[in-house]
Amino acid sequence: MPEHHPLLPAAPWTELVATTDDWDAASPELLRTMYAQLVWIRTFEQYVLDLAAAGLVHGPAHSSIGQEGGAVGSVLALTSADTVNGSHRGHHQFLAKALHHIEPKGLDPLAPATEELRDVLLRTLAEICGLDRGWTHGRGGSMHLQWKDAGAMGTNAIVGGGVPQAAGFAWSHRQAETDAVSVTYFGDGAINIGSTLETMNLAGAWALPVCFFIENNQYAVSTSVHEATAEPRLSGRGPGFAIASWKVDGMDPLAVYLAMSEAVEHMRRGEGPTVVEVDTYRFFHQNGGFAGSAFGYRDKAEEKAWRERDPLAQVAGHLERRGLMDADELARARSQAKAVMEELGEVILEPDPDGKPGQRRIRPAEWPDPTFVDVGVRGDLSEMEGAPSAEGVATEETTFIEAVAAVMGRRMETDPGIVVMGEDVHRLNGGTNGATRGLTDRFPGRVLGTPISENAFAGLAGGIAIDGRCTPVVEFMYADFMWVAADQLFNQIAKARHMYGGTGAVPLVLRSKVAMGTGYGSQHSMDPAGIFATSPGWRIVAPSTPYDYVGLMNTALRCQDPVVVLEHVDLYTSKGPGPVDDLDYCLPVGKAAVRREGSDVTVLTYLGMTQYVLQAVEEFGQVDAEVIDLRWLDRASIDWETIEASLTKTNQVLIAEQGAVGTSYGGWLADEITRRFFDLLDAPVRRVTGAEASPSISKVLERAAIAQVDEVVAELHEIARY
């Protein structure tokens, strides 16, 4: 018979219960502050629901009424230096952090509302209503609340989307040699998705000071936690990643505070991440002011049982029991909060002149100016002022991959805030292609080999960039892996600057290689330029020579927007002009390079296709083509001036790229050229692309799927016929 040996997790998993003795031992100031926060948050949210019912909130009103105990109890264990982020249901978390920031010594429930308190409440209300005085000028609304000064780094509408970023905040705290911690709030829905579990693993492996705070409110919309998982004690996920974990009654704010205090102490000691699960209950449906029973997925008996454990009532009861506040004072605190909210409502509301008696509308002056719509999608590039020029840089023949490693080493040498991360970048003598050769030994702790978890480490890098103290350089081993991390790349990193008001920088560089022609098949070969070009917020760089790579990478690292730097495996072993002894120069944003002058046709190309185009033009010899290497590919950075000057001479254009027609970059570019320069064109825009299919493993089928010299020559034949 086999022997069976029980295995125990490497980290503790504890349930914490607050006793009457704990309530008696709690300081009066702590309990009064708890009650004050609970009252202000509850009253604020009820006012929001009233506005939503009146049609004055455009979009969702995800109330957290009933769940305030978890937010208040946890935040009171933090300081303003600690950071938090949260989910779409995040009003209570945001307000708790903001109120604790403005009143770090405590908030008295009977004290008149200060101007700071009124400002926090008014700006939050305005943001939820989509108004200009809101935190992000109304762009974020209910689901995207951010006040970085208070350590509130942003709530998030994608379930689990903010979790990887919180690991980035934690990494930044530790790298800055502080004892600050990061807390990420999410619910029973997010605990089972990949980005959350990937991040828990990464945080555990790197011992990051991040708390995974699970608000188990029992339902993801209408699906109960018992339907969604075989283990509804969600803090049980923590020990699986060797993370110390606590389970606590979320309707008991003091129990949450005690558990969170232990978790924070654990993290400040440098002992790694924590999980805190609070069992709680949203009193209303997913959105709006109706109970869940109105939609048939909860019964009234269940709702009544949870309401009888209302965190606000529990704290009030202990305050009264201990003689710290009487019933009249408790009621007065609630009445005062309600009166203040009514006063604040008058700031943004007015009688609707076209409505029924008593009907109100948003004051027209409160709305954002419509011309603000695109402001802040990306920065104004003022950070490029004073950038070292490329003028006079001496060149010599250099291997492309040597330039990649050399410029990264130079930038890490001059900027201690640059950190490199990705799979295997710390090993194999510079990763799988040598791009980080020698950097691990030169810069210990700044070249981070990650687990295979693109969603987690891309999002972690996004958090580092939003934090702003460091600049992450992320390597994706293959461009196809961007689909694995699509939420972080396109929903989070690309949108963060604009979504949170347009002023916060997101300095991040993503290096990703295109591997067509190497036999790696359909899932390791794509050119992602066409996909990234559809995502406002990303700048796209495509260097084709060692000289360009150095100058463009320096510019990318100086830029305060996220930049994807595309690399092609065909170029790694190629040789071309590269700098002799200057690794500091920058090539300007939005400047293409004319690789060959001509008068018959303008050929627009980029990356590895550039050399194939030049070879095809010389091989065919019958068309005098002007070849423009675009270098910058995003909508905001295209060199329209150079393109227009060339079309003025040639009056026709050919766009040449290697990749599949379905994800083609040239499709977008052709449309834009037609609309901008129709009067200059004597013929429709011509295009060379790969096939519809992505490249296959077979050498013959792979060659048939991509464009190289022969495909360009064939198109030049057609041009020569006319």
Side-chain angles (χ1 to χ4, degrees), residues 166-235:
F169 305 147
W171 186 91
S172 295
H173 293 324
R174 188 177 66 184
Q175 188 72 2
E177 299 183 346
T178 74
D179 70 349
V181 304
S182 171
V183 182
T184 183
Y185 295 94
F186 55 92
D188 44 287
I191 189 59
N192 296 319
I193 70 172
S195 59
T196 299
L197 298 172
E198 285 182 24
T199 306
M200 292 175 78
N201 177 67
L202 181 56
W206 289 3
L208 297 176
V210 56
C211 175
F212 299 92
F213 193 96
I214 309 166
E215 285 186 317
N216 186 353
N217 70 12
Q218 317 304 311
Y219 291 90
V221 187
S222 64
T223 302
S224 77
V225 66
H226 297 278
E227 295 175 84
T229 178
E231 175 50 277
R233 299 173 300 170
L234 304 180
S235 47

Side-chain angles (χ1 to χ4, degrees), residues 513-692:
K513 73 184 180 191
V514 179
M516 293 177 196
T518 61
Y520 269 75
S522 295
Q523 295 176 332
H524 284 70
S525 302
M526 79 173 294
D527 174 358
I531 305 300
F532 274 99
T534 67
S535 181
W538 280 100
R539 294 187 186 270
I540 310 168
V541 170
S544 63
T545 71
Y547 172 85
D548 279 10
Y549 190 93
V550 171
L552 293 173
M553 176 55 82
N554 283 333
T555 300
L557 287 169
R558 194 181 185 97
C559 187
Q560 294 298 292
D561 298 321
V563 182
V564 57
V565 179
L566 301 180
E567 302 169 9
H568 200 299
V569 291
D570 283 354
L571 296 174
Y572 282 152
T573 57
S574 70
K575 291 187 176 181
V580 176
D581 54 12
D582 184 350
L583 292 170
D584 296 327
Y585 64 92
C586 293
L587 292 175
V589 175
K591 188 64 179 175
V594 178
R595 301 298 184 193
R596 182 188 189 279
E597 294 190 359
S599 58
D600 290 341
V601 62
T602 298
V603 184
L604 304 178
T605 189
Y606 62 92
L607 207 63
M609 194 63 174
T610 303
Q611 295 307 314
Y612 290 126
V613 168
L614 290 170
Q615 183 181 336
V617 171
E618 296 307 315
E619 182 179 304
F620 183 61
Q622 298 176 38
V623 173
D624 185 22
E626 181 148 294
V627 179
I628 297 177
D629 183 351
L630 292 170
R631 299 202 290 202
W632 292 90
L633 306 182
D634 58 279
R635 181 182 295 271
S637 307
I638 287 281
D639 188 352
W640 297 116
E641 184 178 343
T642 294
I643 293 172
E644 183 176 16
S646 182
L647 288 178
T648 301
K649 291 190 299 179
T650 67
N651 303 116
Q652 60 179 327
V653 62
L654 168 63
I655 302 171
E657 59 186 316
Q658 274 198 295
V661 66
T663 55
S664 166
Y665 173 76
W668 165 80
L669 185 59
D671 172 71
E672 191 71 19
I673 286 172
T674 299
R675 289 189 297 108
R676 283 176 178 260
F677 305 122
F678 181 80
D679 290 342
L680 295 177
L681 296 175
D682 290 342
V685 175
R686 295 178 177 273
R687 292 175 58 200
V688 170
T689 72
E692 182 178 1

Side-chain angles (χ1 to χ4, degrees), residues 4 77 117 122 132 134 183 202 245 265 291 300 311 333 360 381 597 614 701-702 720:
H4 294 80
L117 174 56
L122 179 57
D132 187 58
V183 182
L202 181 56
S245 301
E265 183 181 354
K300 292 184 177 181
R360 295 185 294 177
L381 296 177
E597 294 190 359
L614 290 170
L701 294 178
E702 179 181 52

Side-chain angles (χ1 to χ4, degrees), residues 390-443:
E391 186 176 349
V393 173
T395 63
E396 62 183 2
E397 192 171 77
T398 306
T399 301
F400 194 95
I401 196 63
E402 290 177 350
V404 174
V407 69
M408 189 56 60
R410 174 60 176 165
R411 292 283 65 79
M412 293 184 76
E413 178 183 280
T414 58
D415 183 350
I418 292 177
V419 56
V420 175
M421 66 185 71
E423 294 153 5
D424 297 304
V425 296
H426 61 319
R427 301 270 165 78
L428 305 177
N429 194 27
T432 54
N433 292 98
T436 52
R437 185 173 297 138
L439 301 185
T440 302
D441 293 335
R442 289 176 62 191
F443 308 105

